[in-house]
Amino acid sequence: MARIGIVTCSNTTQDMGCSSVGCLADLRSRGGHFEHYPKDAPLELIGIVSCAGCPTIVGAEKILDRIRGLVAVGVEAIHLAACVVHLCPFKKRYEDVIRQRFPHLSVVAGTHAPPPGMDEAQMGEFFKTCVKETLHVPRKTIVETVMEKMTPQPGTPS
Ligand code: SF4
């Protein structure tokens, strides 16, 4: 039995609405970075948690606040999701601090396989393009909307 925890990028899950469908599909089908587990070992998903948000350049240990909860319920392997692997500037630091703090854990950089016809690097570039188009689509703030509605328009009776 392999007890697995997945750490996702909170930008992709919280801001861009990824529901980890690719990660879960390859976990179920033993594809991608779940392929290496012995075929006779059931894979049990213990939990999925997003990162704790930007740790700044000095606070990668912030990720441990997320890992401790998985450790408390007996996780054995932490998979950094494909979004973390390809988008996160702190990925290497995260791997290091998790390994230092919890040396008994296996830390795997990756979850789902690349889309058909792509290798890992191509998937990374594809991801970045998708994020660039999705993460920041300008939208009005509530203040702008309220102020617009409260500002009399020319020609409208005051
Ligand atoms: S880029 Fe890294 S630190 Fe930022 S939200 Fe994603 S996983 Fe978290």
Side-chain angles (χ1 to χ4, degrees):
M1 162 88 69
R3 296 167 65 82
I4 292 170
I6 296 175
V7 178
T8 62
C9 167
S10 64
N11 276 313
T12 54
T13 49
Q14 318 295 335
D15 293 2
M16 292 183 274
C18 179
S19 42
S20 308
V21 284
C23 297
L24 296 175
D26 272 8
L27 177 74
R28 284 193 300 272
S29 67
R30 290 170 176 269
H33 294 267
F34 302 106
E35 216 168 25
H36 69 279
Y37 291 101
K39 295 294 175 250
D40 59 354
L43 303 184
E44 186 179 3
L45 180 62
I46 299 299
I48 300 182
V49 67
S50 70
C51 78
C54 178
T56 78
I57 201 127
V58 293
E61 288 72 14
K62 194 177 170 187
I63 197 74
L64 298 176
D65 296 342
R66 293 292 201 254
I67 305 300
R68 269 204 314 276
L70 292 167
V71 168
V73 289
V75 77
E76 297 165 341
I78 296 290
H79 281 249
L80 298 181
C83 49
V84 178
V85 170
H86 293 291
L87 301 170
C88 183
F90 309 105
K91 179 198 75 105
K92 187 69 186 67
R93 282 293 293 134
Y94 283 165
E95 285 184 69
D96 294 345
V97 295
I98 296 169
R99 287 199 175 100
Q100 279 155 18
R101 178 68 186 76
F102 301 110
H104 68 288
L105 290 181
S106 148
V107 181
V108 181
T111 47
H112 60 74
M118 289 188 198
D119 62 19
E120 196 76 26
Q122 289 164 328
M123 172 171 71
E125 292 314 308
F126 172 67
F127 244 172
K128 289 170 192 162
T129 310
C130 296
V131 168
K132 202 146 182 57
E133 289 175 21
T134 313
L135 187 58
H136 186 249
V137 178
R139 65 179 182 178
K140 274 193 285 190
T141 65
I142 185 70
V143 179
E144 290 166 302
T145 306
V146 169
M147 293 312 292
E148 251 174 46
K149 291 187 178 303
M150 288 173 56
T151 308
Q153 301 305 311
T156 56
S158 49

